[in-house]
Amino acid sequence: MHVILIQMKFDSLPIDNHSVLLIVDMQYDFLPKGALPVPSGDEIIVPIANFAEYFAAQDGKIIFTQDWHPEGHLSFASAHPNSSPGDPIEAPGLGPVLWPDHCIQDSHGAQIHDKLPLRLAVAILRKGYRPTIDSYSAFLENDHKTPTGLTGLLQNLNISKVFICGLALDYCCYYSAVDARDEGFDVYFLSFLSRGIDQPENNIERALLSMKGKGIHIITDE
Ligand code: VGL
Ligand code: ZN
């Protein structure tokens, strides 16, 4: 019954064996009570889990991303003297703001929420592991040059359509969507399966408008 309802709802999405669902950074540190909680992030856990089952049943492939920082990562306010989370930073590969310590390699906060179907994943892509540079995008690190290898993996898998959901809408999801588009994929941004940090102010609205302007399909649940 449940599957049939979901099926009817998403029938219009062109999901097939050339499609990948990127489930971005659904880790405890980005959820309520985590180190860098994204408001209402917990609302999308079960809907993403259900959608992933549907997506896989349509022959789509599933890839998770996992923010994966070493201790003392330069994106952390704690790595800079007299700085607090949210303070602006302008440095190559970092910013626009500093973050609280989060998603430390092997910590509980870095784990992907256990209600999500990791068993469906063809790959789990880790990013942000180099100490002095951040990586919001799943495709390119924040120097906008260093590839993560994801483009090559998707090309090898014959993927042409990238569906994106997860956290945070205005950071890792946004930058991943823009880079996917730049790499030549058709991109479907599932905004109803994403929540944002909205920092600086109006960042979510800015991200959605920017994506629309680049030809990314924004999918709401209407
Ligand atoms: C993210 C800030 C810092 C994200 C990761 O997953 O959107 N945001 N690290
Ligand atoms: Zn991070």
Side-chain angles (χ1 to χ4, degrees), residues 15 50 129-131 136 152 166 188 197 214:
I15 302 163
N50 291 334
Y129 49 78
R130 292 202 294 158
Y136 297 144
Y188 297 82
I197 298 174
K214 291 174 194 292

Side-chain angles (χ1 to χ4, degrees), residues 73-126:
H73 193 265
L74 223 51
S75 72
F76 299 166
S78 62
H80 302 260
N82 307 316
S83 298
S84 311
D87 285 356
I89 176 152
E90 275 180 55
L94 300 169
V97 295
L98 288 167
W99 305 112
D101 292 20
H102 65 278
C103 297
I104 305 284
Q105 296 168 357
D106 283 333
S107 69
H108 171 75
Q111 297 311 305
I112 291 168
H113 193 280
D114 68 4
K115 283 210 173 70
L116 290 163
L118 270 186
R119 78 191 145 74
L120 296 177
V122 298
I124 301 170
L125 184 107
R126 289 175 171 163

Side-chain angles (χ1 to χ4, degrees), residues 162-203:
V162 178
F163 294 74
I164 297 180
C165 65
L167 302 171
L169 187 154
D170 47 339
Y171 282 94
C172 290
C173 297
Y174 166 68
Y175 287 100
S176 297
V178 168
D179 285 347
R181 184 78 186 122
D182 283 345
E183 300 278 22
F185 297 102
D186 270 337
V187 182
Y188 297 82
F189 194 90
L190 306 165
S191 65
F192 68 102
L193 295 179
S194 189
R195 294 292 183 275
I197 298 174
D198 220 16
Q199 204 184 342
E201 213 178 312
N202 297 324
N203 208 34

Side-chain angles (χ1 to χ4, degrees), residues 25 27 30 36 66-69 73 75-76 99-103 127-128 134-136 172:
D25 295 5
Q27 298 161 260
F30 293 123
L36 205 179
Q66 190 172 28
D67 212 36
W68 195 249
H69 299 307
H73 193 265
S75 72
F76 299 166
W99 305 112
D101 292 20
H102 65 278
C103 297
K127 58 184 182 56
D134 213 348
S135 187
Y136 297 144
C172 290

